Every structure is written in structure tokens, then in C-alpha cells.
Amino acid sequence: MKILFLGDVMGRAGRAAVVEQLPRLREEWRLDFVVVNGENASGGMGLTGDHARVLLAAGADVVTLGDHAFDQKDMLRFIETEQRVIRPVNYAKEAPGKGARLFEDRRGRKVLVTQVLGQVFMKRAFDDPFSAMDTVLRAHPLGGQAQAIIVDVHCEATSEKMAMGHFCNGRASLVVGTHTHVPTADAMILSGGTGYLSDAGMCGDYDSVIGMEKAEPMRRFVTGMTREKFSPARGAVTLSGVYLETDDRSGHATRIVPVRVGGHLPPSAPV
Ligand SMILES: [Fe+2]
Ligand SMILES: [Fe+2]
């Protein structure tokens, strides 16, 4: 199976780049399944139902969220009506929506998509991500119930993400980090056959501070004072993420390639 995962889409510019580029990438790279992280797609904070529809219509099979899952209040209702939006599995017991779900690609192959939040340096103390992910993976054996399993590990710390990668090794096709908005250079296939990348990066303007216009975050760092709200940067967008090929029988990764298309970062693509 040929899978593309795109990191956090930042605001209007990020959405526009996904709409413009994803249909072409789907075709050119003969993608079977696409997952897009949408937690920052609406003004940099959260995701509205309308913007979720835009990402799905552009070619995302599933949209994942993150710690900003419900920053846009209409997501509280929208997620109950749209199965293709996945929130973190360990967000809160009362949270609407689901943190793991089985989907089908166009040829009927089953793909499990799940997301989990880390605990290190996150704003809130979320439930233990490791026991939460263990429960999900035990219920959906790779190569049995699911031909491919994609784990979006939404964390600040690379150490926690790497630990999650090894924790899922052999049990998931891909463990990919999101949340920091900065892509890492450690794409690899772990010993048990799990594709791994500490962070997918963002689909946003990298001439920024993690996707926000530079002036306000720099002011806050330099002076300690706040003047305005953050707003997503609007320059040239790099679509960042990871491309994965898997073996349908085992569900294991056979090839992993970092993806960077357009904008300020050096390009990387599977073809
Ligand atoms: Fe996040
Ligand atoms: Fe994010």
C-alpha cells in the first residue's frame, strides 16, 4: 500500500497548498491512502467542520487532530457526524468523537488510523499514551484485522515519540510524530517493520516561527511582552510529511521517504 501522511496544516495558506497539490500528488505517486493532520488548519488553532470538509475533498482519507482538537467549538459537534476525523485517543473520557477507527482504501484494504497525545511538555496532563495505544493495537492486530496501521503520535518531546515508535514496533505500519511543526531527519524502518519519523513537520510557511508570523512570537521571546494575537504566516508553503510503502500481508513498511514539496525547505519526494 502506498501511504502519504502530511503534518499539521497551518491556516489558510496551508489549506490552499493542500487543495492545490494533494490531488496531483495522489495521482502522480499512485497513493492508496492519505492522512492529513488538521489541528491548526483554522486560523492556526483547531479545525472547523467546513475546513475539515475542504481537506477531505482535496484527497485526505482521514484528518487527525491534536491538543488543539476542540479549539474551534463546532468540532465538538462536527466530529460526531464525520467519521473521517480522528481525535487523540487519550484526550479526555468525555470528549466526543473517536481516537481510533478502521477505514478502507479504494480496493477494500483495511487501514487503522489512530492518534495519541504525549505527556512531556504538553499544556495539560493527558492520560498515559502507552497504555492507551497498547489497548488500541491489541484490539487491531496488524496483518489480521488491519492491512495497515498508522499511528500519529502528537507530542513535543522527540524522546517520547521515539519510545512510542519502539513500543509500537512490529504492531504498526507507521508511527509518525506531529505537533512541533519542524520535520526531523530520522525516517527509518524499525527492526520489527514499523516505519518511523519523529516529526512530519507542517504544511505551512517555514519563513515563520513554527508557522506563525514571526513578529509577535519574536516580540514575546525577546521582550516577554504580548502585543497581539498570533496569526499564521502566509508565504510560500512547504507540504511536509512522509511517504510509506507497506506489504499488504504483514502490514510492515518496505520503504519510507520524507516528503517536502514547495516553499522554503529542500525538496524530498518518493519519485
Ligand atoms: Fe499540537
Ligand atoms: Fe500543530
Side-chain angles (χ1 to χ4, degrees):
M1 202 177 300
K2 293 182 167 69
I3 295 165
L4 175 67
F5 183 99
L6 290 177
D8 311 35
V9 175
M10 269 306 288
R12 181 187 300 263
R15 294 196 313 270
V18 170
V19 168
E20 196 183 315
Q21 309 258 28
L22 186 53
R24 178 180 63 80
L25 297 183
R26 260 205 101 114
E27 190 119 320
E28 277 180 18
W29 299 352
R30 306 165 71 89
L31 299 172
D32 297 304
F33 206 81
V34 176
V35 179
V36 176
N37 184 295
E39 75 147 358
N40 308 105
S42 298
M45 302 284 179
L47 179 66
T48 65
D50 284 350
H51 292 162
R53 283 193 196 97
V54 167
L55 298 176
L56 292 164
D61 293 292
V62 176
V63 174
T64 55
L65 295 171
D67 53 319
H68 292 289
F70 301 110
D71 285 8
Q72 303 286 335
K73 295 303 160 228
D74 83 321
M75 183 52 69
L76 289 165
R77 266 176 298 125
F78 184 80
I79 198 167
E80 304 268 36
T81 68
E82 178 49 82
Q83 302 217 327
R84 294 173 294 172
V85 177
I86 292 292
R87 54 125 168 116
V89 71
N90 56 337
Y91 191 90
K93 297 247 175 340
E94 297 76 26
K98 284 239 158 76
R101 194 175 267 127
L102 268 177
F103 299 91
E104 276 186 13
D105 80 344
R106 284 166 198 184
R107 287 166 48 188
R109 291 172 292 187
K110 298 263 194 302
V111 182
L112 180 86
V113 180
T114 182
Q115 183 181 53
V116 67
L117 284 163
Q119 293 179 307
V120 179
F121 303 134
M122 300 299 280
K123 271 179 233 138
R124 270 183 49 210
F126 297 102
D127 287 349
D128 172 24
F130 293 91
S131 60
M133 196 42 54
D134 194 50
T135 303
V136 170
L137 296 177
R138 280 179 192 277
H140 304 90
L142 184 60
Q145 237 193 70
Q147 266 94 70
I149 295 180
I150 301 167
V151 178
D152 173 348
V153 52
H154 197 82
C155 292
E156 192 71 48
T158 46
S159 54
E160 193 174 17
K161 292 175 184 180
M162 290 190 90
M164 183 60 76
H166 292 297
F167 186 75
C168 301
N169 189 11
R171 300 196 284 169
S173 312
L174 175 67
V175 174
V176 57
T178 53
H179 179 71
T180 72
H181 297 194
V182 177
T184 57
D186 58 342
M188 61 179 149
I189 298 175
L190 303 178
S191 60
T194 296
Y196 176 78
L197 177 66
S198 290
D199 206 293
M202 65 172 165
C203 296
D205 175 7
Y206 279 84
D207 183 16
S208 69
V209 175
I210 61 168
M212 294 296 184
E213 288 288 355
K214 294 187 286 279
E216 180 62 19
M218 288 187 66
R219 181 181 298 116
R220 293 190 197 181
F221 277 116
V222 174
T223 70
M225 288 180 275
T226 298
R227 188 183 295 171
E228 9 183 279
K229 288 204 308 195
F230 289 144
S231 65
R234 281 162 295 185
V237 167
T238 305
L239 290 188
S240 303
V242 66
Y243 168 89
L244 191 82
E245 290 178 10
T246 62
D247 174 72
D248 282 345
R249 226 148 41 90
S250 66
H252 291 157
T254 53
R255 186 172 174 230
I256 185 165
V257 182
V259 167
R260 297 183 297 268
V261 176
H264 302 281
L265 297 190
S268 176
V271 285

